[in-house]
Amino acid sequence: MTTASAPIFDKGLANTIAAESEMSFIDGQNGILEYVGIEIDTLARKSSFEEVVYLLWHRALPTRSQLDQFNTSLRKEYDLPQGMWDMVRQMPKNAKPMHALRTLVSALALYDETADDASIEGATEKALLLVAKTPTLIAAFDRHRKGKEFVKPDFSLSLAANFIKMLTGEAPTDTMAKALDVCLILHADHGLNASTFAGRVTIATLSDMYSAMTTAIGTLKGPLHGGANEAVMHLLNDIGDINNVEPVIKGRLERKEKVMGFGHRVYKAYDPRATYLKTFSKQLAEDTGNLKLYEMSHKIELIMEEAVADKGIYPNVDFYSATTYYSLGLDIDLFTPMFAMSRVSGWAGHCIEQLTDNRLIRPRLAYIGPHEQPYIPINERG
Ligand code: SDX
């Protein structure tokens, strides 16, 4: 007979290790992030999103022929079943892209006869399909809501370049494709963040990959998680002018309101992804001659540093990704879908890890309501 150990109450699961992973390592005290042991900064400078996805899923960098083969398999999956294109056309044009994406990813299961195959092989096939089709779904919905014709995938392009072409109708410059590719690398995986945890909970019931991705997208959307990048941009727009930064930010702190894009459950030092994105957004600002947003962001950072750095609150990945995406000309409500487009690779990798050594994820609850209450008939209730 096994004796159950006494459950511990851990609000927000802040001190609970709920799974093992070989994908990303975070040292929150020293601001270090590695994918399979390789520093994120090195990957951002030297790798490609496709290579990083291979690394995360296979725990090793690919040889040239393995990468070529992986790219070929991924590109074969860029297109959507005809029914999905038709479905996008039926969607309300004023719907928010994250709602559209969540619905469309869920709907992909309707066109997959083996959707419920939760074997490792089945899940691996679906992982590839989901990473390849998510950019197509985001771009298709954006074109539809703007009353533009769909741009079909270009199988000769990388995932990042193909996405920009499907979104804008034009092949991107190398600089733009590289910029987006780097953003995808930086967002691919990040430990047991809320959306990854949600996805693992779903797949742990032996549900299916589409359900797990749908759960994860819904979880990412919140402003305390991936939705923060959109909230940062709205904050910058509301501030409007560099002279307003100080009163607005100090006012928020005095009212105990959160400043979006700051703070992290694990990092108590500078998020290394933010370090990279800060340099990147400064470069983009200088290249485009539009320094206003970068300067406002930097001023927010200085005020926050003075006020709350002693609490370990620094910019997180969402802070400078907002200005980066904005400088790239992306609509604000596409920022969180961009996060999802990358993170689907991490979610899928985690689901496969979960299936490899599965156990239902089912924490306990501390019931704090009453006991032994009488049942009062309805006509006798006051
Ligand atoms: C992501 O987990 C991941 O890995 C996520 C992510 C990923 O890659 O998947 O890195 C992506 O989700 C980044 C986080 C995006 N969210 C935001 O930028 C929203 C703003 N930040 C927060 O609300 C907050 O920092 C969280 C949600 C990110 C973390 O929340 P915690 O760990 O529950 O911390 P908390 O809210 O309990 O805050 C602790 C203290 C509080 O002060 P005290 O009550 O102790 O005095 O820090 C303060 C908070 O008020 N604080 C902030 C703040 N964040 C925390 N104060 C002002 N502004 C902030 N942003």
Side-chain angles (χ1 to χ4, degrees):
M1 199 177 91
T2 50
T3 40
S5 51
I8 295 161
F9 180 41
D10 181 16
K11 191 173 178 186
L13 304 182
N15 299 302
T16 299
I17 297 172
E20 290 182 315
S21 176
E22 293 177 340
M23 297 202 292
S24 54
F25 166 77
I26 308 167
D27 175 345
Q29 294 304 325
N30 296 303
I32 294 169
L33 169 62
E34 297 169 350
Y35 293 163
V36 195
I38 305 178
E39 256 194 294
I40 192 68
D41 192 68
T42 308
L43 290 168
R45 282 173 208 288
K46 301 192 173 166
S47 188
S48 66
F49 177 61
E50 286 82 349
E51 187 177 61
V52 161
V53 177
Y54 187 101
L55 171 70
L56 289 170
W57 291 357
H58 297 269
R59 327 279 190 260
L61 288 168
T63 61
R64 186 167 296 282
S65 77
Q66 284 170 330
L67 184 60
D68 288 347
Q69 216 181 329
F70 185 68
N71 279 332
T72 306
S73 317
L74 197 66
R75 291 175 191 198
K76 270 193 200 145
E77 293 291 346
Y78 280 172
D79 207 352
L80 303 174
Q82 187 52 45
M84 289 298 300
W85 293 107
D86 297 341
M87 188 180 290
V88 175
R89 280 199 189 89
Q90 298 301 317
M91 297 184 105
K93 290 189 168 153
N94 61 353
K96 298 226 173 86
M98 276 303 275
H99 288 294
L101 179 64
R102 190 193 56 236
T103 306
L104 290 167
V105 165
S106 176
L108 282 174
L110 309 176
Y111 295 91
D112 182 350
E113 285 175 7
T114 63
D116 288 326
D117 180 356
S119 67
I120 302 296
E121 297 70 31
T124 307
E125 254 173 47
K126 322 258 169 256
L128 193 82
L129 178 157
L130 283 152
V131 168
K133 293 192 194 313
T134 300
T136 318
L137 296 173
I138 298 168
F141 177 71
D142 190 63
R143 299 224 30 119
H144 161 68
R145 69 174 174 158
K146 290 177 176 156
K148 295 178 179 168
E149 282 300 310
F150 294 138
V151 176
K152 291 294 178 90
D154 182 336
F155 304 100
S156 71
L157 296 177
S158 70
L159 190 133
N162 174 51
F163 172 70
I164 299 171
K165 188 168 174 197
M166 289 188 297
L167 193 74
T168 64
E170 285 164 31
T173 61
D174 287 348
T175 315
M176 193 169 177
K178 178 65 193 157
L180 192 67
D181 197 66
V182 170
C183 290
L184 294 178
I185 292 172
L186 295 175
H187 286 83
D189 189 42
H190 208 244
L192 204 55
N193 59 85
S195 53
T196 298
F197 180 62
R200 285 186 84 132
V201 170
T202 300
I203 205 71
T205 69
L206 301 184
S207 179
D208 67 280
M209 287 291 275
Y210 298 98
S211 296
M213 296 302 118
T214 307
T215 308
I217 293 171
T219 308
L220 183 76
K221 178 178 155 287
L224 292 187
H225 190 13
N229 56 13
E230 295 183 17
V232 169
M233 202 57 232
H234 291 303
L235 175 67
L236 286 166
N237 282 340
D238 289 348
I239 293 173
D241 186 274
I242 195 145
N243 294 318
N244 300 333
V245 169
E246 191 162 342
V248 171
I249 298 301
K250 287 194 168 162
R252 284 187 84 99
L253 291 174
E254 269 159 32
R255 292 190 301 276
K256 300 241 172 269
E257 288 169 9
K258 297 277 161 57
V259 177
M260 290 303 170
F262 281 82
H264 199 275
R265 177 58 69 79
V266 184
Y267 290 119
K268 300 303 163 201
Y270 215 100
D271 180 336
R273 302 166 298 175
T275 311
Y276 196 92
L277 286 164
K278 180 180 177 179
T279 316
F280 210 50
S281 78
K282 185 171 184 221
Q283 186 65 53
L284 280 171
E286 281 166 359
D287 290 353
T288 55
N290 183 2
L291 277 156
K292 186 180 161 189
L293 281 175
Y294 174 78
E295 283 168 358
M296 279 168 52
S297 307
H298 188 51
K299 186 149 185 202
I300 296 177
E301 191 189 330
L302 293 178
I303 294 168
M304 289 295 282
E305 196 176 315
E306 208 181 290
V308 288
D310 60 328
K311 282 190 185 176
I313 298 170
Y314 293 94
N316 59 51
V317 68
D318 288 314
F319 189 63
Y320 283 105
S321 68
T323 37
T324 304
Y325 290 147
Y326 198 77
S327 304
L328 289 173
L330 291 163
D331 290 346
I332 299 175
D333 58 6
L334 290 181
F335 292 6
T336 315
M338 295 298 305
F339 193 154
M341 187 169 128
S342 165
R343 186 56 62 85
V344 72
S345 63
W347 294 329
H350 277 271
C351 286
I352 295 166
E353 276 190 328
Q354 183 66 38
L355 288 171
T356 308
D357 182 24
N358 191 44
R359 191 171 190 215
L360 181 78
I361 300 172
R362 202 299 188 192
R364 304 296 181 85
L365 186 76
Y367 172 71
I368 53 167
H371 292 282
E372 297 180 10
Q373 294 295 294
Y375 179 82
I376 303 166
I378 195 161
N379 54 2
E380 291 173 24
R381 292 174 209 160

